[in-house]
Amino acid sequence: MSKHDRPHDPGAAASAAPAHGAGHGSGTHDHPSRSLFVTIWLVLGFLTAVEVAVPQVFNSPWNHTTKMLLLVFLASGKAILVAAYFMHLKWEAKWVRRIAMAPAYMGVAAVLLMIEEHFRPLFS
Amino acid sequence: MSSTHAIPASVPRDEHVGNATGGKVGMWLFIAQDGFSFGGLLLAYGLLRIFSTDWPGPGLRPTDILGINLTAVATFVLICSSITMVMAVDSAQRANRRGTVLWLLGTILGGLMFLSVQAYEYTHLVHEGIGFTTSTWHGQPINNLFGSTFYVVTGFHGCHVTAGVIYLLFVLRGALKGKYTQGGLTYSPVELVGLFWHFVDLVWILVFTFIYLL
């Protein structure tokens, strides 16, 4: 871009921003507000505090499964919040979302391997 | 006549990726393949742990060895650096140069704090006997795979944080020159480094749960 193509005054540059904001991501959403981002940040902080408390509350062998499920649920929730709001996936087009979701296959592989490990004694 | 029309406000709409720029699609593809790398490491860690009778050692839990409270603080610092990154992107979109620079500086500071905590943690664990290939805890041998998997997974993540900080420093240099606050799509590089930084944060959320808390 040549220098003369740039806006000459800050006002012009600033006025271009809202026009772009409306076209951000998939181009079909309003620009997310800062208060929304701060809310997500507070929720993430709260969930982190809950996560740290979970192993101390569920610290007996008999409630190990509860602890595991709770922690995986909390971590998944936090990851989804970061991806959806901070990474703007909520406002992206479907193929961008599909690309982003591809590594979730590793979660499926993990579940399949755990099932295989669980039923292995039956076939050995 | 205004010259703002020369700066594209958005790319032409695509049937599949909407108004995402080529750079954004490229960054998402990179993040996806990087996600597979982390997924593979976490999967290997999970399998090694499942097939171990004592993890990390007889009568021990990971929380007995790893400093959960310190790491929780580091986790919160990384989350804070994510919100500063979001604000940096938002400032760049609003053509606010000062805001972009300050929020980027905050993000870099968060990354450096996280790396400092990680360096302190590694030093402490090595002194306690948790090595990369062989591990002891209070003089008693424990499962060597615990230390190996811990250092590989958290070290790989630490490399990403380091790369992210270097990437942020390059973007900060451009932001100081006002390159990304001229309206239209000029903010795009700030958004791309933001995507990478949030990915690093997202991965740590999973690493913190699977390595430290479970």
Side-chain angles (χ1 to χ4, degrees), chain A residues 58-81:
Chain A
F58 300 93
N59 59 357
S60 304
W62 60 268
N63 55 23
H64 179 73
T65 307
T66 310
K67 179 184 86 171
M68 194 179 74
L69 290 175
L70 261 175
L71 286 173
V72 170
F73 177 75
L74 285 167
S76 304
K78 285 170 68 182
I80 288 168
L81 282 177

Side-chain angles (χ1 to χ4, degrees), chain B residues 89-148:
Chain B
V89 176
D90 192 62
S91 295
Q93 285 174 343
R94 293 169 195 271
N96 178 351
R97 178 181 158 187
R98 187 169 177 272
T100 306
V101 168
L102 288 176
W103 289 118
L104 280 173
L105 276 171
T107 309
I108 291 167
L109 184 68
L112 291 174
M113 284 171 69
F114 179 87
L115 287 172
S116 304
V117 171
Q118 195 168 37
Y120 171 79
E121 181 189 34
Y122 277 21
T123 309
H124 175 75
L125 287 174
V126 168
H127 278 293
E128 291 286 340
I130 308 298
F132 188 76
T133 52
T134 55
S135 294
T136 57
W137 183 249
H138 293 159
Q140 298 299 313
I142 63 170
N143 194 330
N144 293 328
L145 288 171
F146 173 75
S148 304

Side-chain angles (χ1 to χ4, degrees), chain B residues 36-211:
Chain B
F36 275 107
S37 303
F38 275 107
L41 287 176
L42 286 173
L43 199 57
Y45 161 80
L47 286 174
L48 289 169
R49 184 169 170 173
I50 284 174
F51 290 114
S52 296
T53 48
D54 291 313
W55 189 274
L60 285 171
R61 287 171 296 188
T63 48
D64 297 328
I65 295 174
L66 303 171
I68 301 302
N69 293 335
L70 180 67
T71 316
V73 171
T75 303
F76 187 66
V77 167
L78 211 53
I79 289 171
C80 289
S81 76
S82 254
I83 186 73
T84 55
M85 189 66 243
V86 167
M87 293 302 184
V89 176
D90 192 62
S91 295
Q93 285 174 343
R94 293 169 195 271
N96 178 351
R97 178 181 158 187
R98 187 169 177 272
T100 306
V101 168
L102 288 176
W103 289 118
L104 280 173
L105 276 171
T107 309
I108 291 167
L109 184 68
L112 291 174
M113 284 171 69
F114 179 87
L115 287 172
S116 304
V117 171
Q118 195 168 37
Y120 171 79
E121 181 189 34
Y122 277 21
T123 309
H124 175 75
L125 287 174
V126 168
H127 278 293
E128 291 286 340
I130 308 298
F132 188 76
T133 52
T134 55
S135 294
T136 57
W137 183 249
H138 293 159
Q140 298 299 313
I142 63 170
N143 194 330
N144 293 328
L145 288 171
F146 173 75
S148 304
T149 52
F150 172 81
Y151 287 120
V152 167
V153 176
T154 59
F156 191 53
H157 179 268
C159 287
H160 278 73
V161 178
T162 308
V165 169
I166 294 167
Y167 188 3
L168 280 164
L169 284 169
F170 276 104
V171 172
L172 176 67
R173 191 177 66 170
L176 282 166
K177 293 176 183 171
K179 284 170 66 177
Y180 312 130
T181 46
Q182 297 172 24
L185 282 174
T186 57
Y187 80 98
S188 193
V190 185
E191 185 182 36
L192 296 186
V193 72
L195 282 176
F196 180 75
W197 193 255
H198 296 312
F199 169 70
V200 168
D201 180 27
L202 189 154
V203 167
W204 182 255
I205 287 170
L206 301 176
V207 169
F208 180 55
T209 296
F210 291 115
I211 304 280

